[in-house]
Amino acid sequence: MSLNTLFGEKKEAAVKISLESIGEYPEAPISLGTTLSNFTGDWRTFIPVVDDNKCVKCYICWKFCPEPAIYIREDGYVGIDYDYCKGCGICANECPTDAITMEKEEK
Amino acid sequence: MTEYKPIRKVVSGNYAAAYAAKHARVQVVAAYPITPQTSIIEKIAEFIANGEVENLQYVPVESEHSAMAACIGASATGARAFTATSAQGLALMHEMLHWAAGARLPIVMVDVNRAMAPPWSVWDDQTDSLAQRDTGWMQFYAENNQEVYDGVIMAFKVAETVNVPAMIVESAFILSHTYDVVEMIPQELVDEFLPPRKPLYTLTDFDNPISVGALATPNDYYEFRYKLAKAHEEAVKVIKDVGNEFGEMFGRDYSEMIEKEHIDDADFVFMGMGSLMGTVKEAVELLRKEGYKIGYAKVRWFRPFPKEELREIASKVNGIAVLDRNFSFGQEGILFNEAKGVLYSAKSKPVMKNYIVGLGGRDFTVDDVRKIAEDMKKVIEKGEPDVEVDWYHLKR
Amino acid sequence: MGIPENVKKRLSIPADEYFYAGHTACQGCGASLGLRYVLKAYGKKTIFTIPACCSTIIAGAWPYNTLEANLFHTAFETTGAVMGGIEAALKAMGYKVKGEDGVMVVGWAGDGGTADIGLQALSGFLERGHDAVYIMYDNEAYMNTGIQRSGSTPYGAWTTNTPGGKKHFLEKRHKKKVIDIVIAHEVPYAATASIAFPEDFIRKLKKARKIPGPSFIQLFSPCPTGWRSPTDKSIEIARLAVQTAYFPLFEYENGKYKINMPSTKKEPKPIEEFLKYQGRFKYMMKEDIEILQQWVNHEWEKLKKLAEVFG
Ligand SMILES: Cc1ncc(C[n+]2csc(CCOP(=O)(O)OP(=O)(O)O)c2C)c(N)n1
Ligand code: SF4
Ligand code: SF4
Ligand code: SF4
Ligand SMILES: [Mg+2]
């Protein structure tokens, strides 16, 4: 788990919630946390890999990631939070310079 | 407390409901016309048109389903919401009645009891509201216009304490359109009795956002049902406290969920709900003068059901004549069915007979009560009813 | 957090993220991307209501919320009515609603919940003039229940209740023009948008915020699961829907039509371009494609005329 994601401390703070006794439940069905504790990265079959040498920092991939799982690093290049990336391939399909390739993920 | 000086007004049951909503300072009213409810929402619209209310948003929705949906949206946001309907309209709302209760929203609604079609009928019949029995709403049946007024104001307090919606039920025409004196409470005193709502949650805390009603798996759904069931249990106590407080402040005590008279020396009692119990009360007093040892038990709150109070009544009498202005097809009168269920575990079980009366507005008179009293005497002598369910008015 | 300051100003859509990852939309889901954009446009001071649809799941199963905004889950056909209730309550409680700094009330419903079962509540909502924004994300079928047709399903599409077969072949009705029904209410602002053009969508959302009264946006949202399309093609398909004029982007504002895309100066791409990646269209015969093309041409001509006459 890395802090350098779109969600920073929020990701750090996210926890799975499982209530064990009736007293722990809220009176009404209101939410108690965010989905950030749910790592959807294990859905992936193909993994996007970014080649910084080809990247022109247009952020189109960032714009179109539906999770979102793409963040922008301090150096301006894009990073992928593999905890959430589902491997849909949209980023690779939309990247104008083919800087992202989808590779079969070894698990 | 400021001294209570009632304001007496001669109003219909519907106007009593509208005044009560106004005095309860409702913030959102979303409603749709249907006979015989319409004059409630017309009156509320008039209050707005005349500048008699402040900060009341009136949403003229396109259906009852949307009326309840809009009340749900308003109540979830944090406002005090009110609506009114009847029969077909209530049936159309059904899905959203579950929603209001499941989201724990203390909406108050007046239902004017009206028979379900077909055949078309606009007259009194309790099957519409009783068919909503399992939606998680509380239900209060008013006997007269005063109880409609008092009921709406109390219902807000009870509902907002336990976070469960409440339905105040009145009879078509017999109450809705019949004028009677109603003692209204001055606004300052209603305010004292019913402070602004303190919601369980709102949708306006933007720094700590929540979702309400998301998909719960079998691992969690069950617990939320239990919470709602518990809230109804707690409501039994809250209703008594609120009814008592109302009595202390305004002289009309509602601490009994079943209003009863002559139980201690009655051979048998009449049990029923709503306006027909007004007729029964009158008849009982008359018949007692003629030597009948009878009493009455008017069930005010049908949900939560006053189990303890009923068991206590049952322990004191030999028979109960249950009058149902409603019917559950394939079974029997709904109150009868409920009462039997409650008394199964009672130590003493009185003889019970179910009289199906007044469906679709069929007249139910003092004379009918006398005839039923005659019949009940025989039932008690025999120790069992000739028939369990008696279609009393049937043209034979 | 995540995005360096110097990069932020170079981005074409707002940097701030109010849509949490970890949600359970399928890979490449257009609806989830749409929600992400709405949150970018409106931020946290927003109350959503979402009826039964895929977004019920996307927004998080209890006890989680995917949105960093308040959300009331509601019944399938009630979006417009619940929005009305929320807006009325906010006003009664003294909140400023809509406008530059007011609370945003957003209804986010699927095509089934809008074109079909929720049409009545939508109509009531539009007619009563509530200050709120209704967004219909259009994935052209009932996806949450497993890909059944809706009024918004196009001609020739396979769904699980318009399957192929000897007697009955695919969806035989053209897509219901919900936007036209909306415009018939003379709303202050209605627009179509696409997840392939987020800048345009967000601009429209921001405009909807400023214009008093009800606004409606129909957002084209590809669904790889229901469209039998590759998950990486969602944006491309949405773009082609616009470029073929199958789903043109336009605005209706104060009685005036304005076409945003595709260009009215040149021929749109042929409809086959839109169909090509989608398995749901693979059963279409040549004649079917022709029928669909005719419909697209007709609707496109109609829209161009409207923009010409009421531009
Ligand atoms: C009254 C009612 N009828 C049927 C359903 C079942 N149902 C839930 S979602 C859905 C389809 C939703 O389709 P759409 O609005 O297009 O949203 P999508 O799932 O495609 O995103 C249906 C039929 C329901 N929840 N309520
Ligand atoms: S789309 Fe390609 S070029 Fe643009 S930022 Fe992403 S990786 Fe770099
Ligand atoms: S593959 Fe899909 S989920 Fe993963 S980073 Fe790319 S766009 Fe996002
Ligand atoms: S079925 Fe379609 S709309 Fe629903 S979550 Fe999956 S991709 Fe999104
Ligand atoms: Mg759909």
Side-chain angles (χ1 to χ4, degrees):
Chain A
M1 193 159 105
S2 98
L3 251 187
N4 194 5
T5 79
L6 283 172
F7 300 102
E9 317 85 66
K10 281 188 192 149
K11 179 179 175 185
E12 190 92 313
V15 281
K16 286 257 185 229
I17 300 165
S18 171
L19 305 186
E20 300 307 328
S21 75
I22 182 70
E24 297 174 54
Y25 279 78
E27 190 64 23
I30 58 175
S31 61
L32 305 171
T34 75
T35 43
L36 286 177
S37 59
N38 185 31
F39 292 163
T40 47
D42 54 9
W43 294 25
R44 227 171 19 237
T45 326
F46 291 91
I47 185 165
V49 178
V50 189
D51 179 353
D52 288 354
N53 295 321
K54 287 191 184 168
C55 175
V56 294
K57 301 183 180 175
C58 67
Y59 308 123
I60 287 174
C61 55
W62 167 81
K63 187 170 75 177
F64 285 128
C65 177
E67 301 315 317
I70 299 182
Y71 59 94
I72 300 167
R73 305 189 322 232
E74 277 309 316
D75 59 11
Y77 288 102
V78 293
I80 293 173
D81 186 335
Y82 293 113
D83 285 337
Y84 300 121
C85 165
K86 291 175 187 162
C88 68
I90 287 179
C91 52
N93 195 63
E94 296 306 318
C95 173
T97 64
D98 291 331
I100 305 178
T101 44
M102 299 302 292
E103 294 173 8
K104 180 102 178 138
E105 190 170 10
E106 304 297 333
K107 283 196 183 155
Chain B
M1 178 182 137
T2 342
E3 200 200 334
Y4 171 53
K5 284 203 213 82
I7 304 157
R8 289 193 180 78
K9 275 200 166 80
V10 179
V11 291
S12 65
N14 278 356
Y15 283 0
Y19 275 103
K22 175 187 170 192
H23 293 158
R25 294 192 188 277
V26 296
Q27 293 166 294
V28 175
V29 172
Y32 193 79
I34 183 170
T35 304
Q37 170 282 120
T38 314
S39 56
I40 299 178
I41 58 162
E42 284 172 347
K43 191 73 185 167
I44 292 174
E46 199 180 301
F47 291 147
I48 298 172
N50 294 339
E52 291 177 51
V53 285
E54 291 160 48
N55 298 328
L56 170 54
Q57 292 281 323
Y58 186 91
V59 190
V61 280
E62 79 300 328
S63 75
E64 287 87 352
H65 197 281
S66 285
M68 186 45 63
C71 283
I72 286 168
S75 188
T77 306
R80 187 171 279 166
F82 175 82
T83 187
T85 190
S86 194
Q88 314 300 126
L90 185 65
L92 184 59
M93 276 181 191
H94 178 74
E95 181 191 23
M96 300 320 287
L97 297 185
H98 282 282
W99 214 280
R104 303 296 299 275
L105 299 170
I107 298 162
V108 170
M109 165 164 66
V110 170
D111 175 59
V112 184
N113 267 151
R114 160 180 160 178
M116 295 299 298
W120 280 115
S121 164
V122 292
W123 294 279
D124 192 16
D125 191 304
Q126 298 164 338
T127 311
D128 65 342
S129 52
L130 290 170
Q132 306 304 334
R133 185 186 71 167
D134 301 334
T135 54
W137 281 60
M138 298 187 282
Q139 292 196 352
F140 172 97
Y141 286 78
E143 179 200 322
N144 50 42
N145 295 358
Q146 184 70 56
E147 286 196 355
V148 173
Y149 177 85
D150 296 346
V152 168
I153 290 172
M154 277 188 293
F156 272 112
K157 183 148 179 159
V158 175
E160 290 174 9
T161 306
V162 294
N163 295 295
V164 173
M167 200 183 291
I168 300 299
V169 186
E170 59 159 323
S171 307
F173 300 106
I174 301 167
L175 300 188
S176 69
H177 287 65
T178 306
Y179 281 69
D180 200 353
V181 181
V182 171
E183 284 195 0
M184 296 191 190
I185 306 164
Q187 186 67 61
E188 322 82 73
L189 287 180
V190 179
D191 292 345
E192 214 167 293
F193 174 77
L194 180 67
R197 179 181 164 206
K198 288 197 195 72
L200 186 61
Y201 61 83
T202 70
L203 301 177
T204 52
D205 183 350
F206 300 107
D207 291 321
N208 303 289
I210 51 164
S211 77
V212 183
L215 175 85
T217 66
N219 199 33
D220 295 308
Y221 183 89
Y222 192 95
E223 274 62 32
F224 287 112
R225 292 296 103 168
Y226 179 80
K227 290 266 181 191
L228 182 53
K230 273 284 163 198
H232 268 263
E233 260 175 48
E234 192 198 333
V236 172
K237 192 181 167 299
V238 173
I239 284 167
K240 288 180 182 173
D241 291 348
V242 168
N244 185 49
E245 186 188 347
F246 194 93
E248 277 172 9
M249 284 179 78
F250 313 121
R252 296 182 294 279
D253 185 279
Y254 287 92
S255 56
E256 288 183 322
M257 295 174 78
I258 304 182
E259 183 192 333
K260 42 206 167 274
E261 203 62 68
H262 312 302
I263 302 294
D264 290 325
D265 72 343
D267 189 20
F268 68 91
V269 291
F270 288 93
M271 192 164 90
M273 303 192 291
S275 66
L276 67 85
M277 290 309 286
T279 310
V280 169
K281 277 184 183 175
E282 194 189 326
V284 163
E285 298 311 326
L286 212 90
L287 293 171
R288 282 181 68 88
K289 289 199 189 100
E290 296 173 18
Y292 285 85
K293 287 183 68 185
I294 53 179
Y296 64 83
K298 179 183 89 184
V299 176
R300 279 191 179 125
W301 291 89
F302 178 76
R303 280 293 180 273
F305 198 85
K307 294 187 207 175
E308 279 316 309
E309 285 186 47
L310 176 58
R311 288 198 191 106
E312 203 194 315
I313 293 166
S315 73
K316 293 181 175 169
V317 298
N318 297 322
I320 304 180
V322 183
L323 309 174
D324 270 306
R325 188 170 224 148
N326 60 73
F327 199 73
S328 170
F329 299 99
Q331 182 60 309
E332 52 205 4
I334 296 167
L335 182 60
F336 181 66
N337 186 244
E338 295 262 338
K340 277 200 308 185
V342 167
L343 295 179
Y344 182 76
S345 57
K347 282 192 193 71
S348 68
K349 294 186 184 65
V351 188
M352 292 172 76
K353 184 170 171 180
N354 191 193
Y355 298 87
I356 305 303
V357 298
L359 300 187
R362 182 73 62 95
D363 243 1
F364 182 71
T365 64
V366 170
D367 196 47
D368 293 322
V369 182
R370 178 192 297 278
K371 285 185 186 139
I372 292 173
E374 271 308 313
D375 187 55
M376 263 311 274
K377 257 179 38 193
K378 286 184 220 141
V379 170
I380 287 171
E381 267 162 32
K382 252 185 95 187
E384 59 177 5
D386 46 343
V387 287
E388 220 186 2
V389 182
D390 186 344
W391 281 76
Y392 169 77
H393 299 290
L394 197 70
K395 297 171 189 169
R396 290 176 213 265
Chain C
M1 202 170 36
I3 296 177
E5 284 307 316
N6 61 330
V7 171
K8 278 189 182 174
K9 41 187 180 302
R10 289 180 42 218
L11 299 172
S12 61
I13 60 170
D16 295 336
E17 217 59 74
Y18 301 101
F19 182 68
Y20 293 120
H23 61 77
T24 52
C26 314
Q27 294 161 311
C29 170
S32 57
L33 198 45
L35 266 172
R36 180 179 169 223
Y37 297 147
V38 177
L39 281 150
K40 279 184 180 292
Y42 291 152
K44 294 204 282 192
K45 222 168 126 185
T46 305
I47 304 175
F48 279 83
T49 187
I50 298 181
C53 58
C54 270
S55 300
T56 307
I57 314 301
I58 300 171
W62 192 84
Y64 307 111
N65 186 4
T66 310
L67 319 186
E68 195 174 339
N70 289 297
L71 159 63
F72 191 79
H73 287 274
T74 192
F76 197 15
E77 63 282 41
T78 60
T79 313
V82 171
M83 289 169 76
I86 294 171
E87 183 248 29
L90 286 171
K91 287 186 172 168
M93 290 157 69
Y95 284 88
K96 184 164 183 283
V97 187
K98 240 186 165 185
E100 213 66 76
D101 57 346
V103 179
M104 288 304 298
V105 179
V106 175
W108 172 267
D111 49 295
T114 305
D116 300 341
I117 198 167
L119 192 60
Q120 175 180 316
L122 169 65
S123 175
F125 159 77
L126 296 171
E127 169 202 313
R128 291 189 300 269
H130 294 287
D131 287 320
V133 181
Y134 190 117
I135 304 160
M136 163 193 182
Y137 71 95
D138 189 359
N139 54 24
E140 305 195 317
Y142 297 172
M143 297 310 179
N144 187 50
T145 37
I147 326 170
Q148 295 81 31
R149 75 168 297 273
S150 79
S152 197
T153 303
Y155 180 92
W158 161 93
T159 69
T160 56
N161 64 350
T162 54
K166 270 193 199 133
K167 293 255 167 108
H168 181 81
F169 183 59
L170 310 171
E171 175 60 38
K172 285 294 182 198
R173 298 153 207 87
H174 287 296
K175 188 176 174 70
K176 188 191 290 188
K177 301 291 288 287
V178 178
I179 188 87
D180 291 355
I181 300 173
V182 169
I183 290 170
H185 290 74
E186 287 302 343
V187 290
Y189 186 66
T192 57
S194 167
I195 58 148
F197 300 97
E199 296 82 0
D200 174 78
F201 179 37
I202 290 172
R203 177 182 64 79
K204 286 169 177 168
L205 287 165
K206 289 196 165 158
K207 194 186 263 189
R209 159 169 228 147
K210 281 193 210 127
I211 299 174
S215 313
F216 177 90
I217 298 176
Q218 183 173 351
L219 178 71
F220 194 75
S221 310
C223 163
T225 307
W227 294 6
R228 300 293 191 243
S229 55
T231 58
D232 62 339
K233 296 290 183 225
S234 295
I235 302 298
E236 201 175 329
I237 291 170
R239 196 181 294 124
L240 287 167
V242 174
Q243 292 170 345
T244 55
Y246 169 79
F247 195 91
L249 303 187
F250 71 97
E251 289 166 282
Y252 176 83
E253 189 181 344
N254 292 324
K256 288 191 171 21
Y257 285 82
K258 182 169 188 277
I259 297 173
N260 315 113
M261 271 177 264
S263 163
T264 52
K265 307 256 158 49
K266 52 178 199 215
E267 271 303 288
K269 290 185 176 170
I271 193 66
E272 284 90 341
E273 284 295 298
F274 169 61
L275 308 177
K276 68 182 177 190
Y277 296 120
Q278 303 179 54
R280 64 172 171 157
F281 294 123
K282 76 173 178 201
Y283 306 97
M284 285 173 88
M285 313 279 218
K286 225 170 150 276
E287 310 86 78
D288 290 316
I289 295 173
E290 189 46 37
I291 290 172
L292 183 61
Q293 182 69 68
Q294 290 302 327
W295 177 80
V296 170
N297 294 351
H298 178 261
E299 293 299 318
W300 178 233
E301 285 309 313
K302 203 163 82 185
L303 181 64
K304 282 197 292 188
K305 273 272 173 320
L306 282 166
E308 218 177 281
V309 181
F310 304 105

